[in-house]
């Protein structure tokens, strides 16, 4: 961070700073003018001030929500501050792009390195100091990339940015004599980015093993000389090394299932042998996670392995799917519209971020998550998103291809030793590979195997990516595979296929690159291919067109797909017991209502008329690649290869899968699958209609597509096994508990059994934790439920996480307890209520020792809060699996009631594992569901007594163990 300077003039806004009252109570805020005049405002007055007058604050929408927390105050539902509001979060994102900052006053002070402030009054005063500090930074001539930043600020000021005049005054020395940038400059970040360069492919990796002793030596290097000795971590590293032994036969990988209790330090435990194997064999190890939080933790841990940032950038890469990265072509279009009015401030901040971003990752990377809702609004108005979610990429035909973030990431991953990915990316490519193996043979021999100039749009694929995997958070493999290997015929999916073929179809302000624009100039002088292209455009009329949701609601469908979906909707409404509930609905496919089988046949025929021309066009492009190999330049080869991939994926994989599903209606669903219909709802409104097909056991295709082709795989988690009440052993050797791990990970389908290892947690759970089952709260009465949460949170003094199995109960409890907790000085945050993404809410919760957070499954799985910030977890009820059609089918093959118990125990085990993260932590786990069966309590560590008590006793124990009365 460059040091600030003191220019003679600094244009600071002469407006008050606004901070919500501490805790919140009945809402309200503190206002402090630049000359120090302090005024306490009611919630109504503070919101009126934000709506009508210029004020300084941190995150307009979140501040307004915190101010209006009283149920008697109108909630403004701000998505972004108005142009008159001086949002310091915007100024920070401009001054320090791609740098983290929590959207609170204390988060801002911490990010700027300023002293903290204990009271709202002091915080409001310090907001003025923070503004001056950042403007001085911008005036510093040593600020990196300052001329481009000034040009961007000018365009933002033209769009009405409140900070614009002050920022331009600070940077006026680099704007030119007339104080203006060149015409059209400012948002053109693509002109400022470096180009990527191709490198020769790495040779095939070696097969040298890593011994236990070598893994432990590398572990010691990573941990450092002053690290605490952990025998469990050393044992885990030795176990992890077994996954890096060479396999003896094709299809018989070295698979290791390793459960490592919380506190073992498994992350660097497996990085040690993985990095050593990669160095020794010049190969790549893919480390796959489920949550963004662990990806971020891995990125931090890899800095131990590669302390030199330049070396780390070369050898360690975080990879995600194409839809996660900024698309420069989409951004150019949106930036052009923003320059003409509307959204200039948001686009300016994205410009600053894109120039500074490490990798262009907009989902979980260094992108400021609080900008997401603004971009969603812009996408809704203009129909274009900043990431390629629609398969529109034209590869080398794009003017920004050589600067593309995703192409850069793919090429870096090919050369890296360690690639950190997520389960979704790894399994999605594996699912495509598996489906392709069942696709009809193609008309060429070798062209399918050739890849033109590296036009792959997914990873991992190919020899180098199938060798070595580490699956952390392995307990999520089953659900990740369930998503990746499933199929769905829905209105949204079918409409998206039509848009991919026809483009935007004249919709105003939407750029849709249809198939004509993508391949029309590639097919050459082929009359057959031109006719196929015309036939494809015509056949797409069978798919849902613009306005399809309205037509289905009105009962006036148009085309085969809309006819089919109308009858799907009819069947779901006819079969469900209560169609008036606000949730999504589902129904079995058999027996079908009258006309549905015929409608399915017509849709299948229509899909055939789409797939046929696609295959012809694909074959024509493949033939050109072969026949004109000596004439085509690289850019054309890349475009043609990408077009072939897109066409084949749809014509040879997706559409045949849909046709197979449709053919089974009225007959028998294949034994390995489960089919059902659904109506997806949001806030009571019907959004989509679908037919689903899932594997009964998704670990089967996972084993076939991912495990069997690999050389070695380590699957690890703190909660791999189910602690069965009748079989659990202290050393983790119980056979039935390992069987559950093999069922959930696919290891049970392997020819050679996986190796097993259990590393118990080093924590003394009996001394560090309590488990309380409250037996006298009626959880079906929201007032009683809310009172229990309120008093338990008060007793703990904050540091409490409330977990719910239903969003409507979460919201109802939040509405009732926010005010009382605020009066006690405890901030309450909530998923599905506060206008922030889950990751940011968890970060705020982690930073504030006495905050409380309400959430659902996503919070339970993504929380990593060591220390006092999390010292109590409260469940509203036992987290039984949802008894839907898919679960009903799976429990039949996995043990019926035992399957229900296993899933529930694993959820309780995972939640409890969030509570104690360090040797000095103390925590209380509370469930308000008196019906918790004793057989489920083996989810908790051995030695922890499960006490069934009344609410008053629970409150007393919480106070005495972690609250005000704690020793």
């Amino acid at each position: 961070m460059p040091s600030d300077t003191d220019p003679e003039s600094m244009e600071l806004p002469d407006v008050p700073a606004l901070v919500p009252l501490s805790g919140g109570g009945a809402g309200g805020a503190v206002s402090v003018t630049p000359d120090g005049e302090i005024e306490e405002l009611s919630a109504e007055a503070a919101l009126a001030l934000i709506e009508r007058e210029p004020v300084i604050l941190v995150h307009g929408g979140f501040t307004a929500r915190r101010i209006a927390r009283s149920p008697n105050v109108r909630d403004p539902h701000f998505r972004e501050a108005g142009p008159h509001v001086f949002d310091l979060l915007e100024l920070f994102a401009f001054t320090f792009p791609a740098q983290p900052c929590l959207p609170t006053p204390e988060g801002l002070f911490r990010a700027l390195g300023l002293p903290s402030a204990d009271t709202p009054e002091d915080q409001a005063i310090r907001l003025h100091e923070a503004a001056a500090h950042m403007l001085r930074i911008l005036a510093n001539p040593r600020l990196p990339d300052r001329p481009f930043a000034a040009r961007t600020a000018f365009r933002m000021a033209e769009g009405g940015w409140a900070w614009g005049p002050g920022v331009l005054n600070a940077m006026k020395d680099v704007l030119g004599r007339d104080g203006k940038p060149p015409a059209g400059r400012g948002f053109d970040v693509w002109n400022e980015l470096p180009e990527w360069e191709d490198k020769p492919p790495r040779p095939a990796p070696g097969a040298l093993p890593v011994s236990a002793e070598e893994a432990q030596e590398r572990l010691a290097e990573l941990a450092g000389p002053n690290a605490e000795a952990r025998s469990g971590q050393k044992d885990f590293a030795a176990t992890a090394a077994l996954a890096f032994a060479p396999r003896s036969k094709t299809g018989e990988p070295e698979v290791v299932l390793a459960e490592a209790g919380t506190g073992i330090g498994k992350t660097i435990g497996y990085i040690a042998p993985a990095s050593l194997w990669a160095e020794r064999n010049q190969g790549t190890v893919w480390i796959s996670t489920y949550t963004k939080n662990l990806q971020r933790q891995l990125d931090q841990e890899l800095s131990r392995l590669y302390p030199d940032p330049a070396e780390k950038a070369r050898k360690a890469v975080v990879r995600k799917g194409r839809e996660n990265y900024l698309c420069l072509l989409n951004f150019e279009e949106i930036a052009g519209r923003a320059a003409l009015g509307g959204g200039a401030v948001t686009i300016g901040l994205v410009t600053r971020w894109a120039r500074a971003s490490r990798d262009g990752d907009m989902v979980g990377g260094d992108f400021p998550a609080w900008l997401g809702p603004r971009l969603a609004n812009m996408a809704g108005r203009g129909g274009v998103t900043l990431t390629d979610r629609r398969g529109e990429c034209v590869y080398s035909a794009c003017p920004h291809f050589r600067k593309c973030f995703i192409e850069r990431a793919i090429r870096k991953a090919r050369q890296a030793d360690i690639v950190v990915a997520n389960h979704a990316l790894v399994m999605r490519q594996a699912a495509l590979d598996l489906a392709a193996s069942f696709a009809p043979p193609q008309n060429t021999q070798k062209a399918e195997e050739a890849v033109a100039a590296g036009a792959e749009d997914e990873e991992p694929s190919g020899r180098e990516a199938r060798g070595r995997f580490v699956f952390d958070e392995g307990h999520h493999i089953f659900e990740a595979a369930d998503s990746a290997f499933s199929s769905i015929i829905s209105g949204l999916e079918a409409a998206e296929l039509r848009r991919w073929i026809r483009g935007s179809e004249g919709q105003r302000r939407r750029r849709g690159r249809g198939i004509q624009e993508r391949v029309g100039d590639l097919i050459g002088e082929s009359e057959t291919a031109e006719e196929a292209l015309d036939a494809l455009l015509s056949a797409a009329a069978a798919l849902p067109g613009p306005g399809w949701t309205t037509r289905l609601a009105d009962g006036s469908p148009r085309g085969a797909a809309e006819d089919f979906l109308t009858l799907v909707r009819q069947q779901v409404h006819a079969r469900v017991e209560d169609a008036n509930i606000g949730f999504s609905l589902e129904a079995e496919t058999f027996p079908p209502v009258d006309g549905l089988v015929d409608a399915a046949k017509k849709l299948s025929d229509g899909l055939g008329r789409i797939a046929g021309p696609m295959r012809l066009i694909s074959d024509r492009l493949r033939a050109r690649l072969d026949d004109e190999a000596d004439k085509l330049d690289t850019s054309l080869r890349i475009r043609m290869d990408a077009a072939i991939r897109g066409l084949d994926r749809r014509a040879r994989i997706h559409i045949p899968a849909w046709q197979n599903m449709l053919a089974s209606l009225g007959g028998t669903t294949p034994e390995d699958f489960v089919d059902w219909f659904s109506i997806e709802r949001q806030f009571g409104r019907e959004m989509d209609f679908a037919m689903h097909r899932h594997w009964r056991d998704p670990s089967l295709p996972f084993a076939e597509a991912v495990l069997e082709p690999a050389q070695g795989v380590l699957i690890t988690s703190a909660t791999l096994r189910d602690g069965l009440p009748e079989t659990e052993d202290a050393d983790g050797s119980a056979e039935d508990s390992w069987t559950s791990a093999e069922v959930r990970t696919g290891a049970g389908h392997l020819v050679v059994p996986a190796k097993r290892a259990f590393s118990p947690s080093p924590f003394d759970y009996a001394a560090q934790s309590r488990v309380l089952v409250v037996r006298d709260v009626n959880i079906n009465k929201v007032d009683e439920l809310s009172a229990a949460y309120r008093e338990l949170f008060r007793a703990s003094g904050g540091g409490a996480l409330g977990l719910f199995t239903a969003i409507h109960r979460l919201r109802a409890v939040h509405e009732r307890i926010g005010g009382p907790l605020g009066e006690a000085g405890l901030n309450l945050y909530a998923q599905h209520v506060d206008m922030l993404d889950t990751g940011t809410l968890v970060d705020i919760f982690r930073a504030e020792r006495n905050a409380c957070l309400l959430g659902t499954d996503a919070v339970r799985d993504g929380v990593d809060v060591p220390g006092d910030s999390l010292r109590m977890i409260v469940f509203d009820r036992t987290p039984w699996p949802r008894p839907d059609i898919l679960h009903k089918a799976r429990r039949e093959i996995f043990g019926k009631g035992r399957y229900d118990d296993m899933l529930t125990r694993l959820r309780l085990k995972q939640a409890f594992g969030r509570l104690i993260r360090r040797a000095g932590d103390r925590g209380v786990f509370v469930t308000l569901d008196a019906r918790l069966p004793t057989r489920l309590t083996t989810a908790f560590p051995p030695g922890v007594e499960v006490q069934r008590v009344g609410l008053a006793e629970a409150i007393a124990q919480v106070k005495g163990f972690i609250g005000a009365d704690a020793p």
Side-chain angles (χ1 to χ4, degrees), residues 247 263 331-333 480 543 602 665 704 714 750 799 840 848 883 939:
R247 69 182 180 186
F331 179 74
E332 182 180 8
E333 178 180 343
L543 302 171
K602 291 178 181 178
L665 286 176
E704 182 178 351
L714 170 67
L750 297 174
T840 301
E848 299 183 13

Side-chain angles (χ1 to χ4, degrees), residues 464-790:
E464 75 285 353
R466 292 187 178 276
R468 306 289 170 177
F469 284 107
V470 175
F471 285 96
D472 202 343
E473 298 181 305
H475 60 283
H476 283 299
I477 282 178
F478 192 92
E479 58 193 289
D482 184 39
S483 176
F485 293 97
S486 63
S487 296
I488 178 174
I489 308 173
S490 73
L492 290 175
E493 291 284 333
E496 186 59 30
L497 177 59
R498 174 170 171 150
R499 190 214 54 77
W500 187 84
I501 297 169
R502 288 191 167 188
S504 60
E505 297 191 76
Q507 294 182 68
R508 186 172 176 264
R509 297 186 70 186
R510 288 192 63 172
R511 183 201 73 244
R513 293 186 288 270
I515 193 68
Q516 179 73 56
E517 288 77 13
R518 286 195 297 277
V519 307
D521 63 327
L522 300 179
I523 57 179
E525 298 178 358
S526 168
E527 184 176 342
T528 301
E530 290 178 356
E531 291 176 353
L533 189 57
D534 291 339
L536 175 58
L537 292 169
S538 176
L543 302 171
W548 67 270
T549 53
T550 301
R551 289 194 294 275
L552 262 65
D554 294 341
S556 54
R558 182 189 305 163
E562 293 183 22
D563 288 340
F564 172 74
L565 293 171
T566 297
L567 290 168
V568 167
R569 179 178 183 271
Q570 175 186 325
Q571 178 155 329
V572 174
H573 276 285
R575 303 285 166 80
V576 298
E577 294 182 359
D578 183 4
N580 295 319
I581 61 174
F583 311 117
S584 296
L585 308 174
E586 63 177 24
E588 295 182 348
T589 59
F590 186 85
V593 296
D594 291 343
L596 182 58
V597 174
D598 290 339
K601 176 66 167 58
K602 291 178 181 178
L603 176 55
S604 182
D605 292 342
L607 290 171
R609 287 189 288 272
I610 291 172
M614 281 186 177
R615 290 193 294 269
L616 285 172
I617 297 169
S618 172
D619 290 342
R620 168 57 184 164
L621 295 176
R622 191 174 283 106
R624 280 200 71 193
L625 278 176
D626 189 18
D627 298 340
E628 304 176 36
D630 59 336
K631 301 176 183 178
L632 296 172
D633 62 33
T634 299
S635 69
L636 277 178
R637 291 180 65 83
I638 292 175
R639 286 186 59 202
M640 292 169 71
D641 182 76
I644 290 168
R645 289 170 181 273
L647 288 162
D648 283 349
R649 185 177 301 171
R650 291 164 176 83
R652 304 180 195 274
I653 298 177
H654 293 321
I655 289 178
W658 287 3
Q659 290 177 306
N660 288 337
M661 293 168 64
L662 294 168
S664 67
L665 286 176
T668 303
T669 299
E671 184 179 358
D672 288 334
F673 296 98
V674 182
D675 292 349
W676 75 95
F677 295 141
S678 74
I679 297 176
E680 298 300 319
R681 288 175 166 178
Q682 291 183 9
F683 306 107
R685 179 186 175 190
E686 294 182 352
M687 305 297 294
D688 199 10
F689 316 94
M691 178 181 179
H692 302 261
R693 171 165 289 179
H694 283 234
W695 285 79
R696 288 179 185 270
D697 179 4
S699 73
L700 181 60
F702 170 74
E704 182 178 351
V706 179
L707 298 183
E708 289 181 6
Q711 292 280 339
V713 181
L714 170 67
I715 300 175
T716 185
S717 168
T719 53
L720 275 184
R721 302 169 308 126
D722 171 28
L724 295 171
E726 65 274 19
T727 61
E728 183 63 10
D729 297 334
D731 63 357
S733 61
E735 180 68 24
D736 285 353
S737 66
W738 281 111
T739 299
S740 67
E742 292 176 342
V743 165
R744 302 289 292 171
T745 62
H749 299 297
L750 297 174
V751 174
V752 177
K755 297 177 176 64
R756 303 167 175 177
F758 171 63
S759 300
S761 171
F763 300 146
D764 184 355
Y765 286 111
Q768 292 179 246
S769 64
R770 298 288 184 270
V771 176
L772 307 177
V773 180
V774 178
R775 62 190 182 195
D776 58 356
V777 171
N778 187 339
I779 57 176
N780 295 314
K781 293 185 176 180
V782 70
D783 287 337
E784 285 195 39
L785 186 67
S786 300
Y789 269 102
R790 181 191 67 225

Side-chain angles (χ1 to χ4, degrees), residues 49-65:
L49 188 66
I50 295 175
E51 290 177 337
R52 301 169 190 168
E53 303 293 336
V55 293
I56 295 176
L57 44 70
V58 179
H59 196 304
F62 189 51
T63 295
R65 183 68 190 84

Side-chain angles (χ1 to χ4, degrees), residues 202 283-285 314-317 412-419:
R202 301 179 89 179
T284 301
V285 177
R314 292 193 311 272
K315 295 185 175 181
V317 176
K412 287 180 66 177
R414 291 178 188 151
Q415 303 293 325
D417 285 359
I418 304 291
V419 177

Side-chain angles (χ1 to χ4, degrees), residues 203-446:
L208 296 175
V210 176
S211 70
E213 294 76 17
E214 290 171 328
Q216 290 171 342
E217 288 174 7
R218 173 57 62 90
L219 174 63
E221 294 173 9
L222 294 176
N226 300 320
E228 174 188 358
R230 299 189 195 179
S231 60
Q233 188 179 50
K234 290 181 62 178
D235 293 342
F236 176 80
T239 297
L242 297 175
F244 296 94
R247 69 182 180 186
S248 300
K249 292 183 180 179
T250 300
E252 297 182 5
E254 295 291 328
V255 176
V256 177
L257 298 180
E259 180 169 296
T262 304
I264 285 294
K266 61 179 168 56
T267 304
I268 63 169
Y270 59 67
I271 287 177
S275 61
L276 196 55
W277 182 90
E279 292 172 13
R280 177 172 295 171
N281 294 285
Q282 298 183 43
T284 301
V285 177
W286 283 71
I287 301 177
S288 181
T289 76
Y290 187 76
T291 62
K292 298 174 187 176
N293 180 68
L294 183 53
Q295 279 198 334
R296 180 168 54 184
Q297 179 185 336
L298 268 166
D299 191 31
Q300 295 168 351
E301 295 286 5
L302 286 170
S303 295
R304 298 195 198 187
L305 179 63
Y306 307 117
D308 177 12
E311 183 185 21
K312 180 182 177 184
R314 292 193 311 272
K315 295 185 175 181
V317 176
V318 178
R319 271 289 284 116
K320 298 181 181 179
R322 178 174 293 274
E323 69 280 0
N324 289 274
Y325 295 87
L326 175 68
C327 170
L328 291 172
L329 189 59
N330 285 359
F331 179 74
E332 182 180 8
E333 178 180 343
I334 294 179
R337 290 206 307 262
L340 299 175
V345 175
T346 300
I347 290 301
L349 296 178
V350 176
T351 300
R352 291 287 290 148
W353 165 78
R355 182 69 181 91
S357 176
R358 182 177 73 173
D359 53 13
D361 178 9
M362 300 190 72
V363 184
D366 52 20
F367 183 76
W370 55 269
L371 274 179
R374 298 193 189 186
L375 292 173
N377 284 345
M378 293 180 66
R381 294 194 298 267
V384 178
T385 61
L386 287 183
T387 60
D388 179 22
R389 295 181 176 274
R390 295 169 171 169
E392 291 183 337
C393 184
V394 293
Y395 296 86
S396 60
C398 175
H400 310 309
F401 179 68
R402 299 291 302 185
K403 299 183 178 184
C404 175
F405 285 112
I406 179 64
E407 294 295 334
R408 186 189 310 277
I410 289 173
R411 283 156 179 78
K412 287 180 66 177
R414 291 178 188 151
Q415 303 293 325
D417 285 359
I418 304 291
V419 177
V420 178
N422 54 48
H423 294 353
L425 175 65
V426 172
M427 294 190 195
R428 183 171 58 207
Q429 184 59 43
L432 290 172
D433 291 345
L434 183 64
S437 68
F438 295 108
Q442 301 182 5
N443 296 334
T444 58
Q445 296 179 357
K446 295 184 178 180

